[in-house]
Amino acid sequence: MSQKQEEENPAEETGEEKQDTQEKEGILPERAEEAKLKAKYPSLGQKPGGSDFLMKRLQKGQKYFDSGDYNMAKAKMKNKQLPSAGPDKNLVTGDHIPTPQDLPQRKSSLVTSKLAG
Amino acid sequence: FAGAGGGGCPWCFSQVKGAIDEDVAEADIISTVEFNYSGDLLATGDKGGRVVIFQREQENKSRPHSRGEYNVYSTFQSHEPEFDYLKSLEIEEKINKIRWLPQQNAAHFLLSTNDKTIKLWKISERDKRAEGYNLKDEDGRLRDPFRITALRVHVAFPMDLMVEASPRRIFANAHTYHINSISVNSDHETYLSADDLRINLWHLEITDRSFNIVDIKPANMEELTEVITAAEFHPHQCNVFVYSSSKGTIRLCDMRSSALCDRHSKFFEEPEDPSSRSFFSEIISSISDVKFSHSGRYMMTRDYLSVKVWDLNMESRPVETHQVHEYLRSKLCSLYENDCIFDKFECCWNGSDSAIMTGSYNNFFRMFDRDTRRDVTLEASRESSKPRASLKPRKVCTGGKRRKDEISVDSLDFNKKILHTAWHPVDNVIAVAATNNLYIFQDKIN
């Protein structure tokens, strides 16, 4: 197989050469993009593929509701409103206690697919 | 085939399935497309957990152009949304993968999976009904046994074809993490299912037991550095499978060497130039799909910007690298912000392994001819969907001057992504899923 590749290279002027050039030219745009991203989000960690990112991927679908927390919070804040969910209802962090109203409605999709229509 | 000079592109529009309206319901988004072994059946799965199977029409002399058209054969609800109360986990009904079993009798079997449960479906035809039972009247009521004085044999009458789908096996509770792949073994008895951290081996007849063959979960989850992204059995060697990772590596494992294949037999990784490393390097190197060639000699991997062909005998680097949309390299910042950089594109081989295909954005898809080294960009759109109309090759303009029929990178619609494509196992017929529509294209010779 490697022999075949060597034979085809001269005819093509660049299987690998062209790729090398592309990659060298490609370094600059990619680094420029990285600089843009770091400028927008200075607190972005060094290792993008690290544990935090993968953990988020593994926890897809997790919805937390603790009735104890919910009732305690309701009792403590009798006179105030409970902090409500922000635009991203899937992110449960900090003081936000998920309420039954916050959880997305269970969908029922027992309708025939339009591909079959 | 990728368009010989003035000959024009040989690919023609054949059919499009699905609704035309602009408002796409999430449930209608197609999530997997797969031809069966003969290519006569084409299955799709969607986010709503439904499977639709199309069947190719037989050749008909009175209507020569209808040959090869795919029409609806069967449709059923494969998976439904679930909630795991113990783990507070919402389980989507979205069909992640469909894999057909080789046909052994008149019925057809396929495996469909969502994030947690794999199901074996039997699709069978019924085209006869019986009349003249001994114990039942024609309207189904039981006859009074004392009134039965003669024996009669029921007669079969033809009836309109009815296609029934029934779940024959349910393989559940074996995956803590989300299933990304299933693959039927060449022994036709077993199959594997892979999630982010583990791969399990099943027997098609046994649902209450599964063998774990790969486990990359670290003892301390803080040490997690990579996840499994795809897995597939070798097409001929029933002891060999591969799995790809989020770090751009592929491991080939041999089940004869040990019961738990945590140690690979072969490790495929392309060396990276350390000077070119950036924040995005690891993310764009993540492999979203791995497919063996039909010959079993090669495998193909798809990462964010390219498709690579590997010779199984050479672990050090791929033998071919094809750029899918290199012009996106200078857009990585915004693609990271809108999450498109995490899109998982699939790839596929044609029947003879001479060509490969993969999707891109703006409803574009790319084909690479390995023999002629030519490539072409085509578009799945309603505008170019006149019957047997030839597809016009597309070009994306990266520089300043845009020619008349080119499209600039900034005008690309990143919501129109072609993640799933399939190639007929023998003929030049391809199925392309564009969000909620399924396009079928054929070559002119047909």
Side-chain angles (χ1 to χ4, degrees):
Chain A
M1 195 56 222
S2 47
Q3 201 185 3
K4 181 185 177 194
Q5 197 184 17
E6 270 149 40
E7 280 164 8
E8 288 176 4
N9 262 347
E12 214 195 308
E13 187 229 64
T14 53
E16 276 170 65
E17 267 179 38
K18 191 170 183 181
Q19 195 187 321
D20 268 355
T21 321
Q22 268 183 348
E23 275 178 15
K24 286 199 170 90
E25 285 168 354
I27 293 171
L28 296 176
E30 203 172 312
R31 283 279 171 78
E33 290 297 298
E34 180 175 6
K36 243 195 266 181
L37 192 69
K38 293 234 161 105
K40 277 196 185 180
Y41 309 101
S43 58
L44 206 56
Q46 271 311 302
K47 268 185 61 86
S51 166
D52 289 341
F53 164 63
L54 290 175
M55 288 301 282
K56 185 177 170 196
R57 176 188 172 138
L58 296 181
Q59 278 173 1
K60 173 191 121 181
Q62 204 90 42
K63 304 265 183 272
Y64 295 102
F65 178 75
D66 186 316
S67 61
D69 276 350
Y70 176 64
N71 286 303
M72 292 279 286
K74 248 181 34 173
K76 270 191 201 158
M77 299 167 83
K78 251 188 304 196
N79 304 320
K80 299 189 231 170
Q81 286 284 336
L82 277 174
S84 63
D88 186 354
K89 292 198 172 152
N90 292 326
L91 254 187
V92 179
T93 52
D95 293 322
H96 170 237
I97 310 285
T99 62
Q101 299 89 288
D102 288 346
L103 294 175
Q105 290 303 313
R106 288 281 314 281
K107 326 156 250 194
S108 81
S109 49
L110 303 178
V111 173
T112 312
S113 164
K114 289 187 185 145
L115 287 185
Chain B
F1 74 77
C9 173
W11 289 97
C12 303
F13 170 83
S14 175
Q15 297 169 276
V16 61
K17 310 276 184 195
I20 304 176
D21 41 291
E22 286 289 315
D23 226 2
V24 181
E26 181 140 348
D28 291 328
I29 296 174
I30 300 168
S31 49
T32 184
V33 186
E34 187 82 355
F35 281 101
N36 72 339
Y37 282 75
S38 65
D40 279 344
L41 296 179
L42 175 61
T44 61
D46 66 21
K47 275 196 168 183
R50 300 161 301 188
V51 171
V52 182
I53 301 174
F54 302 91
Q55 185 185 46
R56 198 175 196 187
E57 294 302 325
Q58 293 305 310
E59 197 152 343
N60 186 335
K61 289 201 172 72
S62 62
R63 290 180 60 219
H65 293 303
S66 81
R67 181 211 177 238
E69 256 187 22
Y70 283 84
N71 295 317
V72 180
Y73 179 65
S74 171
T75 179
F76 54 93
Q77 185 80 34
S78 172
H79 288 70
E80 293 184 22
E82 287 175 66
F83 196 87
D84 181 338
Y85 294 97
L86 200 60
K87 296 180 185 164
S88 278
L89 199 65
E90 190 175 50
I91 302 167
E92 281 185 342
E93 67 274 37
K94 165 166 140 327
I95 309 293
N96 292 334
K97 286 282 172 353
I98 288 174
R99 288 288 181 263
W100 290 93
L101 265 56
Q103 194 173 8
Q104 287 173 330
N105 53 39
H108 297 278
F109 290 86
L110 61 77
L111 288 170
S112 70
T113 187
N114 69 348
D115 282 339
K116 296 285 178 180
T117 305
I118 306 127
K119 296 188 183 181
L120 176 69
W121 288 89
K122 175 180 181 182
I123 297 109
S124 47
E125 291 183 5
R126 192 198 291 252
D127 62 356
K128 292 183 184 53
R129 61 185 167 80
E131 258 177 48
Y133 286 105
N134 279 295
L135 304 176
K136 279 193 293 189
D137 272 337
E138 293 315 307
D139 53 10
R141 277 185 303 182
L142 288 174
R143 290 171 75 195
D144 183 356
F146 295 105
R147 299 262 162 89
I148 301 173
T149 52
L151 190 69
R152 61 184 184 185
V153 180
H154 70 256
V155 182
F157 288 96
M159 66 179 230
D160 287 340
L161 180 67
M162 206 165 75
V163 182
E164 304 170 316
S166 61
R168 305 304 286 177
R169 305 269 187 279
I170 304 205
F171 304 92
N173 303 320
H175 286 279
T176 306
Y177 303 99
H178 300 104
I179 298 173
N180 51 59
S181 312
I182 47 175
S183 178
V184 182
N185 204 351
S186 53
D187 64 9
H188 302 167
E189 286 186 348
T190 58
Y191 74 94
L192 64 76
S193 58
D195 66 32
D196 291 316
L197 297 179
R198 299 190 176 107
I199 301 179
N200 293 330
L201 179 71
W202 301 85
H203 191 286
L204 285 164
E205 300 286 325
I206 299 167
T207 58
D208 63 354
R209 245 175 307 152
S210 174
F211 288 103
N212 176 242
I213 52 178
V214 172
D215 188 339
I216 66 167
K217 184 178 178 189
N220 179 359
M221 282 298 267
E222 308 252 313
E223 289 162 22
L224 182 69
T225 54
E226 68 184 322
V227 293
I228 297 169
T229 52
E232 197 181 48
F233 264 121
H234 190 277
H236 313 306
Q237 293 170 38
C238 58
N239 51 297
V240 172
F241 66 92
V242 292
Y243 68 93
S244 58
S245 85
S246 52
K247 278 180 142 178
T249 64
I250 309 101
R251 288 171 177 80
L252 183 144
C253 301
D254 186 334
M255 295 196 292
R256 296 171 303 187
S257 60
S258 66
L260 189 59
C261 298
D262 278 359
R263 281 164 59 185
H264 52 262
S265 301
K266 292 197 182 187
F267 182 75
F268 298 82
E269 186 179 33
E270 180 161 31
E272 190 198 14
D273 176 4
S275 67
S276 69
R277 192 162 178 83
S278 79
F279 175 85
F280 304 108
S281 299
E282 191 173 306
I283 301 174
I284 62 174
S285 73
S286 176
I287 292 171
S288 49
D289 195 14
V290 64
K291 293 263 171 50
F292 277 105
S293 64
H294 292 91
S295 64
R297 170 100 193 257
Y298 301 99
M299 67 178 173
M300 163 168 57
T301 57
R302 175 70 154 98
D303 52 71
Y304 191 60
L305 298 178
S306 68
V307 182
K308 294 177 181 174
V309 177
W310 303 77
D311 183 326
L312 293 188
N313 297 319
M314 187 165 79
E315 300 163 60
S316 53
R317 58 189 160 85
V319 291
E320 291 167 31
T321 299
H322 302 278
Q323 302 301 337
V324 180
H325 37 218
E326 179 67 15
Y327 46 79
L328 294 184
R329 203 180 281 271
S330 52
K331 299 286 167 198
L332 292 178
C333 178
S334 35
L335 292 169
Y336 179 88
E337 289 181 286
N338 61 20
D339 274 355
C340 282
I341 205 174
F342 302 108
D343 284 336
K344 299 189 177 75
F345 292 93
E346 291 173 9
C347 53
C348 59
W349 298 85
N350 72 342
S352 59
D353 298 336
S354 65
I356 57 187
M357 168 169 63
T358 189
S360 177
Y361 294 104
N362 208 69
N363 277 354
F364 287 173
F365 57 100
R366 302 264 288 139
M367 279 184 188
F368 304 92
D369 186 324
R370 300 176 63 219
D371 299 333
T372 66
R373 299 300 192 100
R374 283 216 188 85
D375 61 80
V376 69
T377 305
L378 299 172
E379 182 180 1
S381 80
R382 294 266 175 182
E383 280 76 46
S384 23
S385 45
K386 283 212 285 264
R388 291 180 301 287
S390 226
L391 293 183
K392 198 176 136 192
R394 294 277 175 240
K395 201 150 163 24
V396 176
C397 151
T398 50
K401 276 209 157 209
R402 186 180 73 87
R403 283 168 52 191
K404 203 172 68 151
D405 50 358
E406 290 180 354
I407 180 167
S408 82
V409 185
D410 296 307
S411 311
L412 295 174
D413 188 341
F414 289 95
N415 290 317
K416 292 190 177 164
K417 31 193 119 183
I418 291 180
L419 304 173
H420 313 287
T421 59
W423 207 313
H424 189 284
V426 180
D427 298 335
N428 273 342
V429 178
I430 55 176
V432 174
T435 316
N436 63 329
N437 286 163
L438 182 72
Y439 286 82
I440 298 171
F441 302 105
Q442 299 190 24
D443 71 5
K444 266 194 189 133
I445 302 149
N446 269 352

